[in-house]
Amino acid sequence: MNKSVKKLLLVYILLGISLIFATIFTTTKGLSKNNKEIYKEALSMQNHIDKLGFKGFNLSDFRVRFYDGKSDYVIFADKIEKENVVLDVFAATSIEVNGEYQVLLPTFERFFELFSMFNTANLLIDESENYQYTKSDHINTLWHEAFHTYQFTYFEDNISNLFPHENKEETIVGDIDSNEIAVELLSESVEKLLKAYYAHNDEETLTLIKEYFEITDKRNEIIGLELASVESFFKTIEGSASYIEANSYMIQNNRKMFEDTFILDFNYTNGASKYYNIGMLECFILDKLDKGWKENYDFSKTIDDVLREKLE
């Protein structure tokens, strides 16, 4: 497994880590300078994020809760308030509090300690790959979860109508990842998607996208519409948030570094994380074909549906 895939997997398994595991971390009094700087730096990127085209998506519109293991430190309107914990697990997510969706993040220090523990575990099992979690990573995670907050603040009804059933990662592992033909076809389809990302003109891009959906449709016949809908949920909801996260990465670095780290290779992994990357890729390809596609996008269609429309 390459470092980029491993890093993404580690970030997104955090939602399932229990309180017992989280309590081993130490806490400090008040919100640290690191977290204040992370929030300030994220805010300074708003003009760049605005250019992506998601209408009304502003980080400053949402309360951001930094969880240090004992308390939540809530940043909003240039104020920081200490509040009781609303979700006592180690989770980076969007959460509804008092009728509004808010961003919830463990503090940078808790993320840093978690990755340090993973690095220690790697050494114990003779794996040489370690990843040093940085403040830039925390900014990327903040933007990812802020986009989820945007999704559910403004488009919750559309998302519920589009995906009326509960979408569980266990379903993917149990019913999709165990299907060898489905695994093979997904890898084959993503090859088309990667080529479309690098294609030099619209005609080549559209030809590859057509081939991508031909394979996808064949695969959907095998896994069934219900499982295909589960995949669409993660590609649409998590893929678009990963697209925002990727742009946050590029703002702080550059596109070549992003491509070298996240785009060049696709490694099939069990669980939902692969759909984050597929949906993200689809968003970037849509940018190539129609830079204005996001202006009126309201999550009443899947990202797949929007991309298919470009073939018409």
Side-chain angles (χ1 to χ4, degrees):
M1 183 184 300
N2 66 36
K3 180 162 66 175
S4 62
V5 174
K6 186 172 185 180
K7 181 254 179 178
L8 286 172
L9 284 175
L10 291 178
V11 170
Y12 293 113
I13 63 171
L14 297 179
L15 187 58
I17 296 178
S18 69
L19 173 62
I20 294 175
F21 185 74
T23 55
I24 65 173
F25 298 100
T26 59
T27 61
T28 58
K29 292 183 179 180
L31 187 64
S32 74
K33 180 181 178 182
N34 282 331
N35 294 286
K36 294 174 184 176
E37 290 177 346
I38 284 165
Y39 181 76
K40 183 177 180 180
E41 180 62 26
L43 280 181
S44 74
M45 295 160 59
Q46 184 66 58
N47 287 339
H48 297 281
I49 299 296
D50 287 344
K51 294 176 183 177
L52 299 179
F54 284 105
K55 192 177 298 183
F57 175 41
N58 297 295
L59 175 60
S60 61
D61 288 345
F62 310 119
R63 286 176 170 80
V64 176
R65 312 183 74 92
F66 285 94
Y67 169 60
D68 73 353
K70 292 185 178 180
S71 303
D72 286 349
Y73 292 90
V74 184
I75 301 182
F76 185 68
D78 297 325
K79 295 181 181 178
I80 302 176
E81 296 184 356
K82 182 178 179 181
E83 296 185 6
N84 293 331
V85 171
V86 296
L87 185 63
D88 207 1
V89 297
F90 196 102
T93 188
S94 178
I95 187 169
E96 189 173 7
V97 182
N98 298 325
E100 69 173 28
Y101 282 97
Q102 302 178 6
V103 180
L104 174 64
L105 285 179
T107 58
F108 167 73
E109 291 78 13
R110 290 169 65 77
F111 263 87
F112 184 88
E113 289 295 330
L114 177 67
F115 276 87
S116 296
M117 289 185 62
F118 275 116
N119 290 340
T120 300
N122 285 341
L123 292 174
L124 291 174
I125 59 176
D126 296 325
E127 290 189 12
S128 59
E129 294 184 11
N130 289 331
Y131 185 83
Q132 189 75 29
Y133 191 77
T134 67
K135 288 194 283 187
S136 292
D137 292 322
H138 215 52
I139 291 169
N140 299 338
T141 303
L142 172 54
W143 275 112
H144 182 111
E145 300 306 336
F147 193 72
H148 283 320
T149 305
Y150 166 76
Q151 290 170 332
F152 293 110
T153 295
Y154 299 115
F155 308 110
E156 184 173 21
D157 288 344
N158 287 351
I159 292 170
S160 296
N161 291 333
L162 192 59
F163 303 108
H165 305 294
E166 189 173 4
N167 297 282
K168 294 183 177 180
E169 185 164 350
E170 294 81 3
T171 303
I172 297 169
V173 175
D175 298 330
I176 298 178
D177 293 335
S178 60
N179 187 321
E180 292 183 3
I181 297 176
V183 171
E184 181 179 346
L185 287 174
L186 183 66
S187 297
E188 184 180 337
S189 70
V190 172
E191 288 181 13
K192 301 294 184 182
L193 206 59
L194 287 168
K195 289 179 180 178
Y197 175 86
Y198 285 109
H200 296 296
N201 55 63
D202 286 357
E203 183 179 359
E204 182 183 358
T205 301
L206 290 169
T207 297
L208 288 161
I209 291 304
K210 182 180 179 182
E211 293 173 357
Y212 165 72
F213 280 122
E214 287 173 351
I215 299 169
T216 298
D217 292 341
K218 178 180 178 181
R219 184 174 174 275
N220 287 348
E221 290 179 3
I222 295 171
I223 66 175
L225 292 179
E226 185 176 342
L227 292 178
S229 177
V230 174
E231 292 185 323
S232 290
F233 170 83
F234 285 105
K235 284 194 287 184
T236 299
I237 304 305
E238 294 292 353
S240 55
S242 295
Y243 166 83
I244 294 296
E245 179 180 353
N247 276 279
S248 170
Y249 180 94
M250 286 190 288
I251 292 167
Q252 298 176 83
N253 299 282
N254 57 63
R255 194 176 191 99
K256 186 178 186 306
M257 284 182 64
F258 164 72
E259 292 174 344
D260 290 347
T261 306
F262 298 105
I263 297 294
L264 287 180
D265 297 305
F266 173 77
N267 291 270
Y268 191 100
T269 55
N270 290 343
S273 63
K274 55 184 169 288
Y275 305 118
Y276 294 33
N277 293 338
I278 293 171
M280 175 191 69
L281 268 177
E282 291 187 4
C283 289
F284 278 116
I285 292 168
L286 278 166
D287 281 349
K288 291 178 63 177
L289 298 171
D290 177 13
K291 290 188 179 299
W293 73 271
K294 299 179 289 289
E295 291 178 4
N296 297 307
Y297 183 64
D298 62 0
F299 293 91
S300 60
K301 300 176 182 179
T302 67
I303 296 295
D304 273 358
D305 289 338
V306 179
L307 189 55
R308 284 180 190 270
E309 289 175 354
K310 304 307 174 186
L311 297 174
E312 298 174 356

